[in-house]
């Protein structure tokens, strides 16, 4: 949520950039256009009441419509989108529609950027990115470098949120250098937000020396400009820095101070949750477990209320589940597991805000299983009789086993990698003929499908697999059935009966096996991004590819690609 705050406050930069939109051609017209934009903005800022601000802009819109002033209409739609949040998307769509085929310096780029901002605030990061990319392209085509860099900065925030710290840092530094070299675009308060973006990225990238450098710069800048909105966040990050540096008492002091300051300038409770989280971690590391749990519970109360997934603090529930387990409070264990599952389910495939650590430590299936075991236990004996104690002991054994598994994960993954490559090599060295379909048919006699139909479908499936057609098109059960000249009911039964898996798993397994073959034999493919490889073998996106690959092989494709060269060199040696 701190990142959202940074994002919102940074939007003010767009208004500053809008002043500097004169190009090499039609220079006098562009200057006049920018002047009109600035005049309308000045009138809005002068008025303190929201309703009157909207009235001023609507009057300007009406006047622009009468005079067929497209640019004036676009300006009005833009300001209305910022003043009337309920109808923001409607106004921005109108702006984009009337300027899409124009070559204005700031439109439609500014419209795309604003639409991206709206989706960002809704948590729909995939859509936000799409509109940022459109805005970036438009700004670049119309030679609006300040707006182009502003949109790129927002893309940097998305990258930082997704954990792509190095790429985000490069964007932030590029923006900082541009502003330093072009003082006319340097608004002091906005400059502080750029420093904050770098601070945030360096902190979570564990580059503590650089983080400290920008924390100090940010605090100095906030004090210099009397920026009461951004100053508390630098204080908070100072506390996070001290925590990561193991100066726990100093961390607690800074975080407590930052928490108080943030509450004075911002009512959004999720911003205090980060303070509570690192205060809790500090007390935990100081040995005061109970005080730590007290603050973890504060974090829990905020997350339950907002249901806002904050990856950096989501492992709060690791501590709360463990604490309730130690205290034998089964109800609380179930409550915390349910909350964790609910927060995890909020994440959508198009969101880049993913909580990687939770996936690694508490797999969703394991959590569901744990929850069901605990509920059954609670129904059978709410007074912790012998059966309950036994289940709790088994539960602890499972957790210990999971912990041990974590330490062995590297070794196990390596073994799985070697096995995959050896299986691939065996396939290369032992080319087999097509399976005799007649002999297979005799194994299944209860599908209620004519034998000759089964033979034909199996033969076509063999050809489908052999030609790797699954890698060229996103098939559904119905579309594949149509291609094989059969119906979906027959096809589903045959796949379930003869492959012992459902259609979705069947397709995923084919693509994963194909990916392994291609990566093992095609060295150039290994230089592709995971997303590009996923599309190459038939998956819609990188996330579904990684999930299917891990489900089938026990390792992620990134691990496979990273270590395959080493294994290949050893084999050649």
């Amino acid at each position: 949520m701190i990142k959202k705050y940074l994002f919102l406050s940074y939007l003010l930069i767009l208004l500053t950039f809008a002043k500097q939109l004169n190009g090499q051609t039609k220079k006098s017209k562009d200057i006049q256009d920018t002047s009109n934009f600035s005049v309308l903005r000045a009138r809005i800022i002068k008025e303190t009441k929201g309703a009157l601000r909207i009235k001023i802009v609507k009057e300007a819109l009406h006047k622009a419509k009468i005079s067929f002033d497209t640019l004036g209409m676009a300006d009005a739609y833009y300001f209305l989108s910022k003043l009337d949040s309920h109808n923001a998307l409607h106004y921005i769509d109108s702006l984009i529609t009337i300027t899409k085929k124009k070559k204005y310096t700031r439109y439609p780029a500014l419209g795309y950027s604003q639409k991206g901002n709206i989706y960002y605030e809704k948590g729909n990061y995939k859509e936000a990115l799409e509109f940022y990319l459109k805005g970036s392209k438009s700004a670049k085509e119309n030679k609006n470098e300040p707006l182009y860099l502003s949109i790129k900065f927002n893309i940097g925030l998305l990258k930082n949120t997704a954990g792509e710290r190095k790429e985000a840092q490069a964007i932030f530094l590029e923006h900082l250098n541009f502003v330093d070299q072009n003082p006319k675009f340097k608004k002091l308060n906005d400059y502080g937000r750029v420093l904050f973006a770098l601070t945030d990225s360096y902190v979570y990238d564990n580059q503590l020396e650089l983080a400290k450098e920008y924390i100090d710069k940010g605090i100095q800048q906030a004090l210099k400009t009397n920026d009461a909105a951004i100053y508390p966040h630098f204080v908070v990050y100072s506390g996070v820095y001290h925590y990561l540096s193991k100066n726990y008492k100093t961390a607690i002091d800074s975080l407590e101070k930052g928490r108080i300051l943030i509450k004075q300038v911002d009512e959004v409770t999720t911003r205090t949750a980060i303070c509570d989280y690192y205060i809790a971690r500090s007390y935990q590391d100081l040995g005061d477990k109970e005080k730590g749990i007290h603050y973890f519970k504060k974090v829990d109360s905020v997350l339950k209320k907002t249901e806002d997934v904050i990856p950096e603090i989501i492992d709060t529930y690791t501590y709360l589940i463990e604490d309730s387990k130690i205290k034998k409070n089964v109800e609380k264990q179930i409550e915390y597991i349910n909350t964790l599952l609910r927060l995890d389910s909020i994440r959508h495939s198009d969101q880049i805000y993913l909580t990687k650590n939770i996936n690694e430590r508490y797999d969703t299936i394991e959590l569901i299983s744990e929850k069901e075991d605990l509920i059954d236990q609670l129904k059978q004996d709410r007074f912790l009789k012998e059966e309950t104690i036994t289940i709790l002991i088994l539960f602890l054994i499972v957790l210990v086993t999971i912990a041990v598994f974590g330490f062995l994960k590297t070794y196990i993954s390596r073994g799985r990698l070697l096995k995959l490559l050896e299986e691939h090599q065996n396939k290369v060295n032992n080319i087999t003929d097509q399976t005799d379909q007649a002999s297979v048919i005799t194994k299944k006699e209860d599908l209620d499908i004519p034998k000759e139909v089964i033979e034909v479908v199996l033969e076509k499936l063999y050809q489908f697999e052999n030609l790797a057609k699954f890698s060229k098109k996103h098939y559904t059960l119905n579309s594949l059935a149509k291609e094989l000249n059969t119906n979906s009911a027959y096809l589903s039964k045959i796949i379930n009966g003869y492959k012992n898996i459902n259609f979705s798993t069947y397709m995923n397994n084919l693509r994963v096996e194909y990916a392994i073959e291609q990566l093992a034999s095609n060295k150039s493919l290994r230089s592709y991004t995971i997303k590009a490889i996923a599309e190459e073998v038939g998956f819609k996106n990188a996330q579904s590819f990684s999930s299917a690959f891990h489900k089938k092989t026990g390792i992620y494709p990134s691990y496979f690609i990273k270590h395959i060269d080493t294994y290949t060199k050893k084999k050649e040696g």
Side-chain angles (χ1 to χ4, degrees), residues 170-319:
I171 292 173
F172 298 153
L173 287 170
E174 178 188 7
H175 194 92
L176 192 66
N177 291 334
F178 174 82
V179 175
D180 283 335
Q181 295 170 16
N182 298 271
K184 61 183 178 180
F185 297 120
K186 185 176 181 178
K187 285 190 66 176
L188 295 180
N189 287 356
D190 296 328
Y191 190 72
R193 272 72 178 172
V194 184
L195 296 176
F196 180 73
L198 281 163
T199 297
D200 175 84
S201 189
Y202 285 133
V203 163
Y204 290 113
D205 199 27
N206 206 33
Q207 298 188 55
L208 297 186
E209 289 186 8
L210 285 171
K212 183 64 166 59
E213 177 185 338
Y214 281 96
I215 288 169
D216 293 341
K217 284 183 180 179
I219 289 176
Q220 292 173 9
Q221 182 71 21
L223 293 174
K224 178 181 178 181
T225 59
N226 196 27
D227 189 350
I230 196 68
Y231 174 74
H233 296 287
F234 279 111
V235 174
V236 170
Y237 269 81
S238 176
V240 176
Y241 162 79
H242 284 298
Y243 168 76
L244 295 174
S245 301
K246 300 183 179 181
N247 301 320
Y248 303 124
K249 291 184 179 180
T250 305
I252 291 171
D253 290 340
S254 295
L255 291 164
E256 290 283 14
K257 179 181 178 182
R259 191 179 193 280
I260 293 170
L261 291 172
I262 285 176
K263 290 182 72 173
Q264 291 175 353
V265 299
D266 202 320
E267 295 180 356
V268 180
T269 55
T270 43
R271 289 161 195 163
T272 63
I274 291 179
C275 299
D276 291 330
Y277 172 79
Y278 282 104
I279 292 172
R281 289 290 299 269
S282 296
Y283 278 120
Q284 286 277 322
D285 290 339
L286 285 170
D288 193 341
K289 305 294 184 184
E290 282 304 312
K291 203 156 189 179
I293 292 299
H294 168 74
Y295 280 94
F296 281 131
K297 287 180 179 179
K298 286 188 175 185
V299 177
D300 168 57
S301 65
V302 171
L303 296 183
K304 280 179 180 173
K305 181 179 179 181
T306 63
E307 293 198 333
D308 194 353
V309 180
I310 307 174
E312 290 82 8
I313 69 173
I314 201 71
D315 73 335
T316 288
Y317 293 98
T318 302
Y319 295 92

Side-chain angles (χ1 to χ4, degrees), residues 27-125:
K27 187 172 182 179
S28 61
K29 182 179 184 299
D30 280 350
I31 292 175
Q32 182 62 42
D33 291 342
T34 303
S35 176
N36 291 338
F37 183 93
S38 300
V39 168
L40 182 56
R41 184 187 61 175
R43 290 181 63 196
I44 294 169
I45 294 174
K46 187 176 179 181
E47 181 55 63
T48 58
K49 295 182 179 179
L52 289 179
R53 286 182 172 183
I54 293 175
K55 182 180 178 182
I56 289 170
V57 181
K58 285 187 174 180
E59 288 174 352
L61 176 61
H62 179 68
K63 182 178 178 181
K65 285 182 176 180
I66 292 175
S67 58
F68 299 100
D69 179 5
T70 303
L71 190 58
M73 292 164 58
D75 289 340
Y77 283 133
Y78 171 72
F79 285 115
L80 283 171
S81 75
K82 296 179 73 65
L83 295 171
D84 185 357
S85 60
H86 294 294
N87 298 300
L89 281 174
H90 167 73
Y91 290 127
I92 285 299
D93 285 338
S94 298
L95 184 161
I96 292 172
T97 298
I98 65 174
T99 62
K100 184 179 291 187
K101 296 183 179 180
K102 304 289 185 180
K103 293 294 182 181
Y104 296 129
T105 310
R106 64 178 174 271
Y107 299 122
L110 192 56
Y112 286 128
S113 177
Q114 176 66 355
K115 193 166 185 179
N117 300 339
I118 293 168
Y119 278 113
Y120 187 104
E121 280 305 294
K122 291 176 179 292
N124 191 336
Y125 302 121

Side-chain angles (χ1 to χ4, degrees), residues 123-140:
N124 191 336
Y125 302 121
K126 182 178 179 181
E127 288 297 322
L129 179 59
E130 288 303 313
F131 285 107
Y132 286 150
L133 292 175
K134 288 181 180 180
S136 177
K137 180 180 178 182
S138 176
K140 196 168 188 178

